[in-house]
Amino acid sequence: MAVDYTVIVVYLAGMLAMGWWGMRRAKSKSEFLVAGRRLGPAMYSGTMAAIVLGGASTIGGVGLGYQYGLSGAWMVVTIGVGLLALSVFFSARIARLKVYTVSEMLDLRYGGRAGVISGVVMWAYTLMLAVTSTIAYATIFDVLFDMNRTVAIVLGGSIVVAYSTLGGMWSITLTDMVQFVVKTVGVLLLLLPIAVVKAGGFSEMKAQLPTEYFDPLGIGGETIFTYVLIYTFGMLIGQDIWQRVFTARSDKTAKWGGTVAGTYCLAYALAGAVIGTAAKVLYPKLGSADDAFATIVKDELPVGVRGLVLAAALAAVMSTSSGALIACATVANNDIWSRLRGAVRRTEDAHDGVHDEVKGNRAFILLMGIAVIATAIALNNVVEALTVAYNLLVGGLLVPILGGLLWRRGTAHGALASVVVGGVAVIALMATHGILANEPVYYGLLSSLAAYLAVSLMTKPTDEAVLTAWRERLAGQTPELVSEPVPAPQ
């Protein structure tokens, strides 16, 4: 295992080094939170794919393949479809808004009265998303070093918190690009073909397993529908995803770069399901489906390759964890704390106090990182935590966000009613039907929609001046009030 350990240690050291490099580059709020809004197509595509394909997509995707066969790909497929829909239909307009958070977009659209409540919901989602990713470190480090769960969470979480705090989005972008390459090589180019060969090829897999393992809809129509509601719609509105859209150099980069990333997700989904199906042939009686990834890596891969593939799993977890962490800190600082202290800012960085803003956001990443690590140590059930996060996001925020983008008659009162009614409905239904039940997101979403439509139609339409400013911002016609520093030559 010495070679495998060396690969992992070099990888982790590289992540910290990129955090240090990013710290030297992130000199303004824009650089720190959205990488100066100047990522080109290649880097944008790689980092977007990295953040959406985390531990759940890698370890969980292989586990679903082990349990259901090829139809286990549906969870990650719905993530890819959501990213494609966001990129094709909405990302260009989102990028032109030149904001930092989803709540700022709601304020622009509805006239400045939707921020704190929507910010709290988004903060809860991003916090739980970061927690679920951090818990996954325990699984990977247990395979690598037979490490205690708490120590593994602290070690993995501390590395992510360190490079994220140092350089913000620049550090995360650089590390995500490396993580994207490592995942591509480790999972798609190495683990996938090796797993299929070890299982005897597709013909042997079909001979050894029931036919439902090769049924595209074997996982069940209701499950697929729930995945669409949670993950496809979740991709459309999550702060962690939008914050990556804000990093694009142009609206065309956001549209086409995101389309490439979404297509990559579809290939990754199929790869995970095939690997899981091969693992079912090799290890038909595993105690847990989620053990399939670690087991096939540990037992079937040669020295060195095993370390690279485990680094790929670590990369998947770290990319989602760091993206969720900076999103959580951005929402906590810009949408909640700044508003509560009466210091909301709507413009890009002012020339005076730029460094203070960077320090403030850096402090919030550190604070939220400590909270994430502590919560991850206290929680055990990753699936339940992730379900709570997405139920709150979709049930509380999907309708007012998409309504603001698509329906001119939507009002601030309607948006607030939608957030409150949908959020309360989701929480109440999770308490009565169980966290993993389908009813919370179904009825939470319906009640949110009903409240939005009814209250919007019963209240005064949004002021025409607000709508005019909104349309100009969407079209990219409103210049930024304070120009950003001139980008350094690349």
Side-chain angles (χ1 to χ4, degrees):
M1 292 288 289
V3 175
D4 296 324
Y5 291 161
T6 302
V7 172
I8 299 296
V9 170
V10 169
Y11 168 76
L12 294 177
M15 296 300 100
L16 291 173
M18 289 184 184
W20 182 261
W21 187 91
M23 181 179 68
R24 301 175 59 189
R25 187 158 187 166
K27 301 299 184 182
S28 70
K29 179 181 177 182
S30 177
E31 294 281 350
F32 191 81
L33 294 182
V34 290
R37 307 188 194 276
R38 50 195 176 99
L39 296 191
M43 187 166 282
Y44 178 85
S45 297
T47 57
M48 181 62 86
I51 188 177
V52 300
L53 296 174
S57 301
T58 304
I59 298 172
V62 171
L64 287 172
Y66 183 89
Q67 189 173 358
Y68 298 105
L70 298 185
S71 66
W74 273 106
M75 183 186 77
V76 184
V77 165
T78 56
I79 291 173
V81 170
L83 185 53
L84 285 170
L86 173 71
S87 301
V88 173
F89 298 112
F90 301 109
S91 63
R93 285 184 285 174
I94 292 171
R96 288 195 292 265
L97 289 174
K98 301 295 184 185
V99 295
Y100 291 109
T101 68
V102 174
S103 293
E104 287 183 34
M105 167 264 169
L106 291 173
D107 279 351
L108 283 171
R109 168 58 181 83
Y110 294 112
R113 286 173 286 178
V116 174
I117 295 177
S118 62
V120 169
V121 175
M122 189 63 77
W123 174 81
Y125 157 73
T126 53
L127 178 73
M128 295 309 293
L129 186 61
V131 166
T132 57
S133 301
T134 304
I135 291 173
Y137 295 128
T139 301
I140 299 171
F141 282 113
D142 179 56
V143 175
L144 284 172
F145 308 115
D146 193 23
M147 188 178 289
N148 174 270
R149 177 182 182 274
T150 299
V151 175
I153 289 173
V154 171
L155 175 60
S158 296
I159 292 171
V160 169
V161 172
Y163 73 69
S164 300
T165 301
L166 286 172
M169 186 60 82
W170 265 124
S171 294
I172 292 171
T173 296
L174 294 171
T175 54
D176 276 1
M177 198 63 200
V178 174
Q179 289 159 359
F180 169 74
V181 173
V182 171
K183 281 192 287 192
T184 301
V185 174
V187 175
L188 294 184
L189 302 183
L190 292 176
L191 182 57
L192 174 61
I194 290 174
V196 172
V197 170
K198 291 283 186 177
F202 286 104
S203 59
E204 184 65 20
M205 290 162 62
K206 287 184 177 181
Q208 293 285 337
L209 297 173
T211 56
E212 55 263 29
Y213 264 71
F214 302 92
D215 180 359
L217 302 178
I219 198 170
E222 184 178 355
T223 299
I224 295 171
F225 180 68
T226 302
Y227 284 159
V228 170
L229 283 183
I230 293 177
Y231 297 115
T232 300
F233 287 142
M235 288 296 107
L236 297 180
I237 59 175
Q239 169 68 25
D240 52 324
I241 310 302
W242 277 42
Q243 199 156 343
R244 293 310 173 96
V245 175
F246 300 151
T247 67
R249 178 186 299 163
S250 66
D251 53 2
K252 290 184 178 179
T253 297
K255 181 176 182 178
W256 297 111
T259 301
V260 171
T263 305
Y264 177 90
C265 290
L266 301 182
Y268 200 88
L270 184 59
V274 171
I275 293 168
T277 305
K280 183 67 175 179
V281 174
L282 294 168
Y283 312 100
K285 298 186 182 297
L286 288 178
S288 169
D290 285 341
D291 293 336
F293 180 89
T295 302
I296 196 170
V297 169
K298 191 174 183 179
D299 293 350
E300 302 298 336
L301 299 186
V303 173
V305 173
R306 179 171 49 207
L308 183 59
V309 173
L310 286 172
L314 198 57
V317 175
M318 283 186 161
S319 57
T320 299
S321 180
S322 59
L325 176 60
I326 193 171
C328 178
T330 302
V331 170
N333 188 16
N334 290 268
D335 292 336
I336 300 175
W337 174 245
S338 292
R339 295 167 193 267
L340 292 178
R341 67 177 182 167
V344 181
R345 293 187 176 104
R346 298 290 176 211
T347 66
E348 291 289 322
D349 307 330
H351 290 299
D352 295 329
V354 166
H355 295 290
D356 290 338
E357 289 218 29
V358 172
K359 289 179 181 178
N361 282 289
R362 184 173 281 135
F364 264 88
I365 291 181
L366 179 60
L367 181 64
M368 291 299 103
I370 294 171
V372 165
I373 291 172
T375 307
I377 292 171
L379 292 179
N380 285 317
N381 196 313
V382 178
V383 175
E384 288 191 357
L386 191 63
T387 301
V388 169
Y390 274 99
N391 281 353
L392 283 173
L393 177 70
V394 174
L397 290 179
L398 177 69
V399 170
I401 292 172
L402 293 189
L405 289 169
L406 300 174
W407 192 41
R408 187 177 184 274
R409 185 61 179 82
T411 68
H413 292 95
L416 288 172
S418 179
V419 173
V420 173
V421 171
V424 170
V426 164
I427 293 171
L429 289 166
M430 284 193 295
T432 57
H433 289 73
I435 290 175
L436 299 180
N438 293 328
E439 286 81 1
V441 70
Y442 290 171
Y443 297 114
L445 189 56
L446 287 174
S447 61
S448 177
L449 177 61
Y452 182 70
L453 293 174
V455 175
S456 291
L457 291 173
M458 289 188 296
T459 53
K460 183 180 178 181
T462 304
D463 187 87
E464 188 59 38
V466 172
L467 290 177
T468 299
W470 165 254
R471 287 192 295 268
E472 290 176 350
R473 195 71 170 258
L474 274 180
Q477 296 173 358
T478 303
E480 296 179 46
L481 298 180
V482 179
S483 61
E484 296 185 14
V486 176
Q490 298 188 36

